[in-house]
Amino acid sequence: MAKKRTNKYKKHIKQSPGSIVYTGENPTEKLFIDAFDYAKDFVNESELKSVEEAFNFKHTNSNTWININGLNHIQDIEKIGKHYNLHPLIMADIANTSQRPKIDVYDDYIFVILKMLYYDENENINIEQISLVLGKNYVLSFQEIEGDVFDNVRERLRLANGRIRTHGTDYLLYALIDAIVDHYYIVSETMGNKIEDLEEILFNGELKEDLSIQVLNLKKEVLKIRRAIFPIREIISRIEKNEHVLINPNSLQYYRDIYDHVIQLSDSIDIYREMVWSLMDMYMTSISNKMNEVMKVLTIIATIFIPLTFIAGIYGMNFDHMPELHFRYGYVILWGIMIVIFLGMLYYFKRKKWL
């Protein structure tokens, strides 16, 4: 029975442009907001009890990173968006979890959508949308559920490791994008290991029942990863070429480093894509070879029994004048002839390496 598919875009039908509609799969997720307010010589980490507490950071002289988990809380997202003067279409894109990675550049802020990829315990790939808003002295990040790949960024903020506390929020945006891209390497490595494992199984001729499903799932995973990674080149290119006031020219070299990583990852994914297609061909070839082996054995068996059936057919006829039928040892002689023919044909097939 075919699996019933849900259409994420149904919720947008008959909705006016800019309507905030949550299209994700976690409608009961709790709202969780944490904030880092920092400068060169201090950092304050806090868990906010309401979205209104996030409004206090907008006009401070320090830098602020506010992370919002729970895209199903439409009203709270709308409050944050209105306070930070986000366009209604931006807020709609934040709630729409099926967006393609992209960048929108406005006068007062830069909006970026990325896909966070990770494998769960069963090595099933999960895709979560991350929306980032870069403002003058703040970065807003929106996630569907709690849990992400930003632990290293948080640790650097707490311990003042590297440049993150001495640079502006444009560097923080870079650090968040870089953390997502760096995690792609883990996903890419896991994908490579899964492909190599399947290759080994196919080379060993172990054609399991679910092998075709595994190859098909790998193909889908590669396409998902490819759709998440490839648009990032356009995002970084837009950041470099726009010369936006929010992006310090000195920070552009760091974004170029992300671009180089994305190019490297894209090449790897293209290689994996070809390898998966090769797995498909290898699987079909293995199935065909397996069938040929079965047909060869059946053909050899049929060939061996042809002369035996011929002999049995002759002496099974009901003619009266068949002198061999009256020999005392005719039955034994006939069995001996049939056994000699059987063994002789087996020996011949062995020499020809057909067996």
Side-chain angles (χ1 to χ4, degrees):
M1 187 176 181
K3 183 179 178 181
K4 188 176 180 181
R5 298 182 181 180
T6 57
N7 192 336
K8 293 182 178 181
Y9 298 97
K10 272 187 177 180
K11 297 178 182 179
H12 285 283
I13 296 175
K14 296 182 180 180
Q15 295 286 345
S16 60
S19 298
I20 306 177
V21 181
Y22 173 64
T23 61
E25 299 177 353
N26 297 278
T28 60
E29 187 72 19
K30 293 182 180 180
L31 182 68
F32 177 78
I33 305 174
D34 59 325
F36 278 86
D37 190 53
Y38 66 94
K40 182 179 180 179
D41 53 351
F42 77 92
V43 60
N44 292 322
E45 180 181 359
S46 58
E47 179 182 335
L48 308 185
K49 296 180 180 179
S50 65
V51 292
E52 285 77 14
E53 292 185 31
F55 303 162
N56 301 326
F57 297 103
K58 185 177 181 182
H59 300 292
T60 60
N61 294 324
S62 55
N63 298 319
T64 306
W65 171 28
I66 301 174
N67 183 45
I68 301 99
N69 298 275
L71 300 183
N72 53 309
H73 296 267
I74 300 300
Q75 294 180 348
D76 293 310
I77 292 176
E78 194 168 7
K79 289 178 182 177
I80 293 175
K82 286 181 178 179
H83 181 77
Y84 284 90
N85 298 319
L86 302 183
H87 195 280
L89 291 176
I90 295 295
M91 292 186 286
D93 287 344
I94 290 172
N96 182 8
T97 59
S98 58
Q99 283 290 333
R100 178 180 183 271
K102 66 171 187 174
I103 180 172
D104 289 330
V105 180
Y106 292 81
D107 292 336
D108 299 330
Y109 57 88
I110 297 174
F111 175 64
V112 177
I113 289 180
L114 297 172
K115 298 294 183 179
M116 184 172 64
L117 307 177
Y118 58 92
Y119 280 102
D120 60 18
E121 297 175 352
N122 300 319
E123 288 197 348
N124 296 319
I125 195 165
N126 291 307
I127 302 177
E128 183 182 349
Q129 179 168 299
I130 303 293
S131 301
L132 303 170
V133 179
L134 169 65
K136 183 178 180 182
N137 61 344
Y138 66 88
V139 170
L140 306 177
S141 58
F142 297 86
Q143 306 180 43
E144 188 173 3
I145 58 176
E146 190 176 349
D148 50 43
V149 298
F150 302 140
D151 288 342
N152 184 46
V153 177
R154 294 185 178 95
E155 197 64 21
R156 287 158 60 190
L157 283 169
R158 295 184 187 113
L159 303 178
N161 289 342
R163 308 173 183 86
I164 194 164
R165 290 255 294 269
T166 59
H167 286 57
T169 50
D170 58 335
Y171 187 88
L172 175 61
L173 177 67
Y174 151 76
L176 296 175
I177 297 176
D178 186 60
I180 294 173
V181 172
D182 282 347
H183 205 75
Y184 289 163
Y185 281 100
I186 300 175
V187 173
S188 177
E189 183 179 356
T190 305
M191 170 65 66
N193 292 336
K194 293 173 73 172
I195 293 174
E196 289 175 4
D197 291 342
L198 278 181
E199 274 186 337
E200 186 175 348
I201 291 173
L202 285 170
F203 274 122
N204 293 334
E206 302 174 16
L207 299 180
K208 300 178 181 178
E209 292 183 2
D210 63 340
L211 195 58
S212 60
I213 298 176
Q214 291 183 44
V215 175
L216 184 61
N217 288 337
L218 263 182
K219 177 186 172 185
K220 292 179 179 179
E221 287 181 11
V222 169
L223 292 177
K224 288 178 181 178
I225 295 172
R226 192 173 187 271
R227 282 196 293 265
I229 291 177
F230 270 61
I232 298 180
R233 294 183 294 183
E234 178 187 347
I235 292 173
I236 303 302
S237 181
R238 287 276 306 276
I239 290 176
E240 286 185 323
K241 294 177 181 178
N242 255 284
E243 297 183 356
H244 199 281
V245 66
L246 293 175
I247 303 293
N248 191 318
N250 296 328
S251 299
L252 292 178
Q253 58 183 327
Y254 301 114
Y255 286 95
R256 294 189 191 102
D257 182 62
I258 294 178
Y259 188 88
D260 293 338
H261 291 171
V262 172
I263 292 295
Q264 183 181 0
L265 285 164
S266 299
D267 292 340
S268 298
I269 295 304
D270 281 338
I271 293 172
Y272 292 153
R273 189 184 183 194
E274 295 297 325
M275 290 175 70
V276 170
W277 280 110
S278 298
L279 284 179
M280 275 286 193
D281 294 338
M282 193 185 304
Y283 174 74
M284 297 307 297
T285 302
S286 298
I287 291 292
S288 179
N289 290 340
K290 195 76 173 178
M291 182 63 69
N292 289 340
E293 287 292 326
V294 173
M295 293 303 297
K296 184 175 74 172
V297 172
L298 293 177
T299 302
I300 289 173
I301 293 173
T303 304
I304 289 174
F305 276 91
I306 285 174
L308 305 183
T309 305
F310 175 74
I311 294 173
I314 289 177
Y315 289 99
M317 294 188 293
N318 296 320
F319 291 109
D320 291 332
H321 302 288
M322 294 181 69
E324 295 88 352
L325 294 177
H326 303 290
F327 287 171
R328 181 179 178 85
Y329 300 104
Y331 178 75
V332 177
I333 293 171
L334 194 60
W335 262 110
I337 293 172
M338 294 172 74
I339 290 172
V340 169
I341 292 173
F342 174 76
L343 295 175
M345 294 185 74
L346 283 180
Y347 175 74
Y348 178 76
F349 292 148
K350 280 283 187 181
R351 286 197 61 183
K352 289 289 186 178
K353 296 183 179 179
W354 294 348
L355 280 175

